[in-house]
Amino acid sequence: MEAWRSLRGAGFLHAVRDAHREATLRVFEGMDRAEGFTERSFGVGAFDVLASRLDAVLGLGGEGPAVAGAVRDDLNQSPGWRVGRYRMLLKRHTFGQVRRLRWDRDSPTKQAVARQAYADDAQLALPLGLPPGVSTADTPGIVTLVLAHSATDEPLDMELYLGRPRWNADGGDAWHWVRRLDDRALGADPRRKLDEATLPLWSDGSADVPMRRRRETSTETT
């Protein structure tokens, strides 16, 4: 699909995977269930820390160049990031339940995103009926996707998905399409190719070119 190819080629999806790993480890290291932290504590912490790490990994927090021109692009005060025509919002889900999300029971913003026009789904021709001030997009031509994330600490495991939500008040599928962001699906990191392209053609540590001693020619006469 075009969205996956575009975002993967830009290095955005690999950056998101890195940010999710870092955020998850930081949250689990900083919160101990024995000290009273609950599942809700982990959920709020995971969302906030992931948003912060995304800014950093994407170069939007002063730690490096922006990945493929990524910019911060919030929607109705919900944290968002955009590359080209694709905006991504965060959504935390119960581990193992990514396909059982109910957008009609979510926030007004997520409801609006799930109701975006989609050529293969005629139901979206119905009136939106959204609350005042809530829109599916504030920029013409923008497609808003969702980064669904989750993790569990016993044992440690993580889930991260990119997908296009489907309005499922009918109790049906939560996604028009959804793909997991794991090592197998993502493959080689295109950001490394960009780094390698900037390496010098030689370095001080390279082996010296072998030198052949020139044979002396006698100039004496007899």
Side-chain angles (χ1 to χ4, degrees):
M1 64 197 71
E2 196 276 335
W4 178 271
R5 290 193 298 270
S6 177
L7 295 171
R8 182 191 175 281
F12 178 83
L13 298 183
H14 289 80
V16 172
R17 178 200 56 188
D18 293 348
H20 183 235
R21 286 177 176 172
E22 294 174 15
T24 299
L25 294 177
R26 289 189 181 193
V27 169
F28 284 151
E29 289 173 359
M31 294 184 177
D32 188 342
R33 293 182 187 275
E35 296 181 359
F37 289 103
T38 65
E39 193 64 30
R40 182 176 181 278
S41 305
F42 284 101
V44 173
F47 187 97
D48 291 342
V49 176
L50 177 54
S52 176
R53 291 311 304 160
L54 266 173
D55 280 341
V57 172
L58 291 172
L60 304 176
E63 296 186 21
V67 173
V71 297
R72 187 67 181 263
D73 190 14
D74 300 348
L75 178 62
N76 302 322
Q77 300 183 342
S78 182
W81 297 262
R82 180 166 54 82
V83 176
R85 64 189 292 256
Y86 298 106
R87 178 200 284 122
M88 277 64 61
L89 304 182
L90 298 178
K91 169 62 181 176
R92 188 174 183 275
H93 63 275
T94 302
F95 193 84
Q97 304 295 314
V98 70
R99 296 184 181 277
R100 297 186 180 181
L101 290 168
R102 286 293 299 266
W103 302 110
D104 57 314
R105 300 173 183 173
D106 213 308
S107 69
T109 295
K110 294 300 194 308
Q111 291 185 39
V113 171
R115 285 179 175 269
Q116 289 176 108
Y118 192 73
D120 296 333
D121 196 336
Q123 68 157 340
L124 293 178
L126 299 174
L128 296 184
L130 299 173
V134 175
S135 63
T136 57
D138 52 13
T139 307
I142 296 300
V143 175
T144 302
L145 307 175
V146 167
L147 290 164
H149 61 100
S150 186
T152 179
D153 59 334
E154 297 176 354
L156 178 64
D157 201 357
M158 308 176 199
E159 290 183 343
L160 182 63
Y161 294 85
L162 174 72
R164 182 156 182 172
R166 172 186 175 275
W167 179 251
N168 59 341
D170 58 358
D173 198 334
W175 305 92
H176 290 295
W177 58 264
V178 63
R179 294 189 66 175
R180 188 165 184 172
L181 276 66
D182 56 20
D183 294 343
R184 181 176 181 179
L186 291 176
D189 191 338
R191 296 175 300 170
R192 294 179 181 174
K193 294 181 180 180
L194 295 176
D195 291 340
E196 292 171 357
T198 62
L199 291 176
L201 297 178
W202 61 85
S203 66
D204 293 339
S206 59
D208 293 334
V209 178
M211 302 293 290
R212 183 177 298 174
R213 185 176 180 181
R214 187 176 179 181
R215 187 173 63 180
E216 296 180 357
T217 302
S218 175
T219 58
E220 293 182 1
T221 59
T222 57

